[in-house]
Amino acid sequence: MPRPGRNTYNDQKPPYSYIALTAMAISASREKMLPLSDIYKFIMDKFPFYRQNTQRWQNSLRHNLSFNDCFIKIPRRPDRPGKGSYWALHPFAGDMFENGSFLRRRKRFKLHQQRQHALGLLGEQEANNIKNNLDLAPYLQDESRLRLQQFAANAVTSGYLPYQRDSGQPTIRHQHKHSFSIDNIIGTPSKPSVDILPSPFQMTSIPRFVSQFAPTHGLPHRLMMSYHALHPTDNNLICSLASTFGSLNGQVSPLDYYSSIASLQEPAHPVLLVKPTALSAINLFSKHFGLGKEFHHSPPSETATVNPRPALVHGVDSLLKPAKELVVPKQFNYDHTSGRTETKFVEDDGGT
DNA sequence: TTCTGTTTACTTGAGC
DNA sequence: GCTCAAGTAAACAGAA
């Protein structure tokens, strides 16, 4: 994305819409997401025109943030307290501006159009496969089922592939042999497996998506694994338990990518962040946080067993409490013989 | 209290 | 004239 440059238009109104100004601010930020106050600040810094009548244009800008699907709201991390959420650009809104110019917008970005586009790209066979393979499909109301399918369709068209059903092995179209390649992170399972999660959510084995996101919006290449779970008493509540892995400063981290998950989040489709979901990493975290439980693989036909212990899902907050004591994995080692992934955690000593 | 976020309603201007 | 995008105003709720 282009930068606005140093043209400040002095006191004249810049020829950019609020959407463009906001996109500029977000794009110029290091993390590709900003709280509202920083968006204001960016605009006022760059364009003196907006140092006046702040109430008026800031109201308009807030309206645009809420109104336009091209902006997504990302909850604050627990270690970054403050007012309001972070705002980012929807990943599918990347080509919103013609020739990358903030001056010209192609067309209004609408989420449902993106979904339809995604569904349209699915062949009938694939769509049926997805539909028929949903273990929980018979239990869902039509609307919920549709939501799940749409989520699946989005997954397929985002450049990553669904679980390959014949071999039980995830396939990746453009497999990278970096330290955070799929092999290095989750290994190559010899059979379909599913992480056991405690109640109240019962994990299903299918669909399971292993996702790869190409670098976009300044975010590095990253992987996402998502699982679907069904609340035992509320059939409308589908959860996608997801985890992303990416490289930050050359180091693999499963902790830093709220945004790529949140970007897929819709109000009607709650996404619970359980980080990380790679079994080895889950167990390391379980140990680290004293959950007193080890999680295992189970055959795909089984759903998760009900566990009376406080659920990991319930314990998301504790998992997400980052902070100082949080361990950051420095590397993943994949053992080709055993097919297991070993994650080495190193205490963060403050960067010495 | 202030800020943030959502929603509704209306106006304006461009493009067809 | 119609549609759509964009801008503005305002009311309201909830969080910090």
Coordinates of all heavy atoms in Angstrom, one line a residue, chain A residues 288-289 321-328 347-348:
Chain A
H288 N 2.8 -25.2 31.9 CA 3.3 -23.9 32.3 C 2.3 -23.2 33.2 O 2.6 -22.5 34.2 CB 3.7 -23.0 31.1 CG 4.2 -21.7 31.5 ND1 5.5 -21.5 32.0 CD2 3.6 -20.5 31.5 CE1 5.7 -20.2 32.2 NE2 4.5 -19.6 31.9
F289 N 1.0 -23.3 32.8 CA 0.0 -22.5 33.5 C -0.6 -23.4 34.6 O -1.6 -23.0 35.2 CB -1.1 -22.1 32.5 CG -0.7 -20.9 31.7 CD1 -0.2 -21.0 30.4 CD2 -0.6 -19.6 32.3 CE1 0.2 -20.0 29.7 CE2 -0.2 -18.5 31.5 CZ 0.2 -18.7 30.2
K321 N -3.3 -14.5 29.1 CA -2.6 -13.5 29.9 C -1.2 -13.6 29.5 O -0.5 -14.6 29.8 CB -2.8 -13.9 31.4 CG -3.5 -12.9 32.2 CD -3.7 -13.3 33.6 CE -5.1 -13.1 34.1 NZ -5.4 -13.9 35.2
P322 N -0.7 -12.7 28.8 CA 0.7 -12.8 28.3 C 1.6 -12.4 29.4 O 1.8 -13.1 30.4 CB 0.7 -11.8 27.2 CG -0.4 -10.9 27.4 CD -1.3 -11.5 28.5
A323 N 2.1 -11.3 29.3 CA 2.9 -10.8 30.3 C 4.3 -11.4 30.4 O 4.7 -12.1 29.5 CB 2.2 -11.0 31.6
K324 N 4.9 -11.0 31.4 CA 6.3 -11.2 31.6 C 6.6 -12.7 31.7 O 7.5 -13.2 31.1 CB 6.7 -10.5 32.8 CG 8.2 -10.3 32.9 CD 8.5 -9.3 34.0 CE 9.9 -9.2 34.3 NZ 10.4 -10.3 35.1
E325 N 5.7 -13.4 32.4 CA 6.1 -14.7 32.7 C 5.8 -15.7 31.5 O 6.1 -16.8 31.5 CB 5.3 -15.2 33.9 CG 3.8 -15.4 33.8 CD 3.0 -14.2 34.0 OE1 3.6 -13.1 34.0 OE2 1.8 -14.3 34.2
L326 N 5.2 -15.1 30.5 CA 4.8 -15.9 29.4 C 6.1 -16.4 28.6 O 7.0 -15.6 28.4 CB 3.9 -15.1 28.4 CG 3.3 -15.9 27.3 CD1 2.4 -16.9 27.9 CD2 2.6 -15.0 26.3
V327 N 6.1 -17.6 28.3 CA 7.2 -18.2 27.6 C 7.0 -18.0 26.1 O 5.9 -18.2 25.6 CB 7.5 -19.6 28.0 CG1 8.1 -19.8 29.3 CG2 6.2 -20.4 27.9
V328 N 8.0 -17.7 25.4 CA 7.9 -17.6 24.0 C 8.7 -18.7 23.3 O 9.9 -18.8 23.7 CB 8.4 -16.2 23.6 CG1 8.3 -16.1 22.1 CG2 7.6 -15.1 24.2
E347 N 12.7 -19.1 28.3 CA 12.2 -18.0 29.1 C 12.6 -16.7 28.6 O 13.8 -16.5 28.2 CB 12.7 -18.1 30.6 CG 12.1 -19.2 31.4 CD 10.6 -18.9 31.8 OE1 10.3 -17.8 31.7 OE2 9.9 -19.9 32.1
D348 N 11.7 -15.8 28.5 CA 12.0 -14.4 28.0 C 12.7 -13.7 29.2 O 12.0 -13.3 30.1 CB 10.8 -13.7 27.6 CG 11.1 -12.4 26.9 OD1 12.3 -12.0 26.9 OD2 10.1 -11.7 26.5

